Amino acid sequence: MEGRRCVMAALSDDMLTVLTVNLLLSVSFLSGRPTGCEEAKGFIFTAPREIEALSGACLQIPCSFTVKPQHKFNPRRKTFGVWLKPGAPILNSPKNVVYNSSQLKNKYDMNITGNLREKNCTTVFSKINSEQEDKYYFRIENGPFKISALCKPVNVNVRDSAWRPRIEISGDLKEMNSVIITCSALTPCPQSPPELTWNLEPDHRRLTEKNTDGTFTDKIQKNITLSDTHDGFNITCFVRYPVDGGKYKVAKAEVTLSVSYAPKNTSASISLSEDGWVNLTCSSTANPPVSFFTWFRNSTNGTMEVADGDIYGLNITKEGIYYCVATNDLGNQTSLEVHLAGQRKGNIQHEGPYKRRVIISTPVKTSLVSALFIILVGSFIKILMWFLKVVHLSPEMPQKGVVLPLRTTVSKCESEEVMFDMRI
């Protein structure tokens, strides 16, 4: 009888111990502040503390664990993984279990894709939704060895819209520099990766990189040698995530290139004013903008700097060959030469690839030429009438083929000899 009492007392002590352990674990689990973490027991669980999912898409949770030698974890035994959510007491409570690899049917559409015998507990949600946003706790069961990672829950957040891709450019954005342009997108589920496209040439590289926390990123990359034509170019990258129902969720990112380059397309132009002055204008494109313009004049004594600034005003009588130089922090460029000749009728002639001959005529000179032309025509008519009158009154006609020279004074400044070939 006394022995029976001893046995009952021992059983009562054991039951009390189990109940105490269960109670402590339950309180620890529900409060979110465990009193005894798994690391202290030799179980080290590794997974992201925070992970974000896209509603309707799959989600992979990278997961692994290690067990210290004092625990009897035997990879030859059947090993099961369990995922639980907060709620009822964690031990022996089916209400907390959302997935158990030992069962064919589970509350959530999940699957442990890692090899548990190799301590890989990577898990995939097939089609996650916003109602599954919560904290998840992992538990390993290997024969008599069973332990839960109460101190390291995985906090899963679910969003409705796709993540924007990220555009990165490595290198200095200067002309002639070679840079690498990368567009990357978060890959919550490498089994169903996103599709990346952009408005650059399609000869790019595709790659998938594993991040330090075990998640993945998909990328496309392209090498480009920069020139001034890339300045202001807008790069647009699109990403498409496959979701439930054969649909896609799409997002995009844009980046405008700002490429530095020395002055380009530098040119000199001429405009006339009514007061007899000429404006020479220098123009150029550059990034950063042109800091200053300089005008030069070629003469028999050599090249002389004549002015600063993009506009140079001078009198029309200052004939010569002019050109300008545009300068910024990266270099300079010289325009074509322009030849200013103010005493002749206006036209433009090209003199080779580096010179341009510009002859200027003002409205005053044009009027003078017109007046001289009218005088010449009037004089010609008078001479012709006089000649016909002389021929009509003269008793002797000139012989056939005789050329009669006639001279008339056109103006005080000029005279011109007009020859009429009167062949009878």
Side-chain angles (χ1 to χ4, degrees):
M1 187 73 178
E2 186 176 348
R4 186 176 180 182
R5 289 178 181 175
C6 293
V7 172
M8 292 295 293
L11 289 174
S12 298
D13 291 341
D14 291 340
M15 291 176 64
L16 181 61
T17 302
V18 172
L19 289 173
T20 302
V21 171
N22 279 337
L23 181 60
L24 288 174
L25 289 173
S26 299
V27 172
S28 172
F29 182 81
L30 292 172
S31 66
R33 295 183 179 180
T35 57
C37 289
E38 58 276 2
E39 286 88 348
K41 302 174 184 180
F43 178 69
I44 300 174
F45 174 74
T46 304
R49 300 301 298 268
E50 298 277 344
I51 193 166
E52 195 170 33
L54 181 63
S55 178
C58 63
L59 171 67
Q60 177 172 286
I61 302 176
C63 167
S64 63
F65 62 91
T66 58
V67 181
K68 289 187 177 180
Q70 65 264 28
H71 296 287
K72 296 181 179 180
F73 179 87
N74 188 348
R76 292 189 295 271
R77 287 196 298 251
K78 289 184 178 182
T79 306
F80 302 104
V82 181
W83 284 98
L84 310 104
K85 289 173 57 175
I90 186 171
L91 294 179
N92 302 320
S93 176
K95 293 182 180 180
N96 286 342
V97 178
V98 295
Y99 177 80
N100 189 326
S101 64
S102 66
Q103 299 176 5
L104 297 178
K105 291 184 179 181
N106 287 281
K107 186 181 296 186
Y108 285 179
D109 189 5
M110 302 171 66
N111 183 36
I112 295 180
T113 57
N115 190 337
L116 293 174
R117 293 182 178 181
E118 296 178 357
K119 304 181 180 65
N120 185 343
C121 52
T122 298
T123 303
V124 175
F125 279 84
S126 296
K127 300 172 186 177
I128 198 167
N129 56 62
S130 57
E131 295 179 355
Q132 295 172 327
E133 181 175 284
D134 212 328
K135 290 183 178 179
Y136 291 82
Y137 297 83
F138 180 72
R139 176 178 174 81
I140 190 70
E141 296 181 354
N142 177 250
F145 176 74
K146 299 178 182 180
I147 192 169
S148 300
L150 299 180
C151 292
K152 290 186 176 180
V154 179
N155 192 12
V156 177
N157 300 309
V158 181
R159 59 184 290 158
D160 291 328
S161 59
W163 300 273
R164 292 182 59 189
R166 183 178 179 182
I167 299 175
E168 297 176 291
I169 304 172
S170 65
D172 195 7
L173 296 184
K174 289 183 179 180
E175 63 175 338
M176 305 305 294
N177 282 2
S178 180
V179 298
I180 300 176
I181 301 177
T182 303
C183 181
S184 59
L186 181 65
T187 306
C189 185
Q191 290 83 356
S192 184
E195 178 186 352
L196 286 165
T197 57
W198 55 14
N199 60 338
L200 299 178
E201 294 293 330
D203 55 333
H204 52 248
R205 299 184 300 275
R206 290 186 177 273
L207 49 128
T208 301
E209 291 185 353
K210 188 175 182 180
N211 304 318
T212 55
D213 62 353
T215 59
F216 289 85
T217 299
D218 272 62
K219 298 181 178 181
I220 53 177
Q221 288 183 338
K222 183 176 177 63
N223 288 63
I224 292 180
T225 300
L226 297 173
S227 69
D228 60 293
T229 59
H230 291 110
D231 184 46
F233 182 78
N234 191 52
I235 300 175
T236 305
C237 183
F238 298 88
V239 60
R240 296 199 315 166
Y241 288 93
V243 295
D244 188 24
K247 299 179 181 179
Y248 293 90
K249 291 188 176 182
V250 182
K252 72 173 182 178
E254 294 180 326
V255 169
T256 300
L257 297 181
S258 179
V259 179
S260 301
Y261 59 95
K264 307 288 182 186
N265 305 316
T266 304
S267 63
S269 60
I270 297 178
S271 61
L272 303 176
S273 60
E274 296 181 356
D275 56 0
W277 282 76
V278 175
N279 287 330
L280 302 181
T281 302
C282 188
S283 61
S284 182
T285 58
N287 187 20
V290 173
S291 53
F292 60 90
F293 296 92
T294 309
W295 285 96
F296 295 88
R297 180 175 183 267
N298 288 337
S299 65
T300 55
N301 296 326
T303 302
M304 296 183 300
E305 181 179 335
V306 293
D308 291 328
D310 58 334
I311 299 178
Y312 172 39
L314 68 161
N315 194 285
I316 195 172
T317 59
K318 292 186 178 180
E319 298 185 357
I321 298 174
Y322 297 87
Y323 65 89
C324 66
V325 177
T327 305
N328 71 354
D329 294 338
L330 300 179
N332 58 65
Q333 188 183 47
T334 302
S335 71
L336 299 178
E337 294 177 343
V338 292
H339 186 178
L340 181 62
Q343 303 298 323
R344 307 165 111 182
K345 185 177 179 180
N347 57 37
I348 297 178
Q349 301 174 355
H350 288 282
E351 296 186 351
Y354 301 105
K355 293 183 180 181
R356 187 172 62 176
R357 180 179 178 85
V358 181
I359 306 174
I360 303 299
S361 63
T362 64
V364 175
K365 292 184 178 295
T366 302
S367 300
L368 179 60
V369 172
S370 300
L372 291 174
F373 178 74
I374 293 172
I375 293 173
L376 285 173
V377 171
S379 301
F380 176 76
I381 294 174
K382 289 181 180 180
I383 294 171
L384 181 61
M385 292 179 64
W386 176 82
F387 175 75
L388 293 176
K389 184 177 180 180
V390 171
V391 171
H392 177 71
L393 296 177
S394 176
E396 298 180 358
M397 298 297 293
Q399 296 180 359
K400 184 178 181 179
V402 177
V403 178
L404 301 178
L406 297 178
R407 178 180 298 274
T408 180
T409 301
V410 177
S411 67
K412 294 181 180 180
C413 299
E414 297 181 49
S415 64
E416 183 174 309
E417 185 174 344
V418 181
M419 306 295 294
F420 297 93
D421 187 359
M422 302 296 295
R423 301 185 183 275
I424 304 173

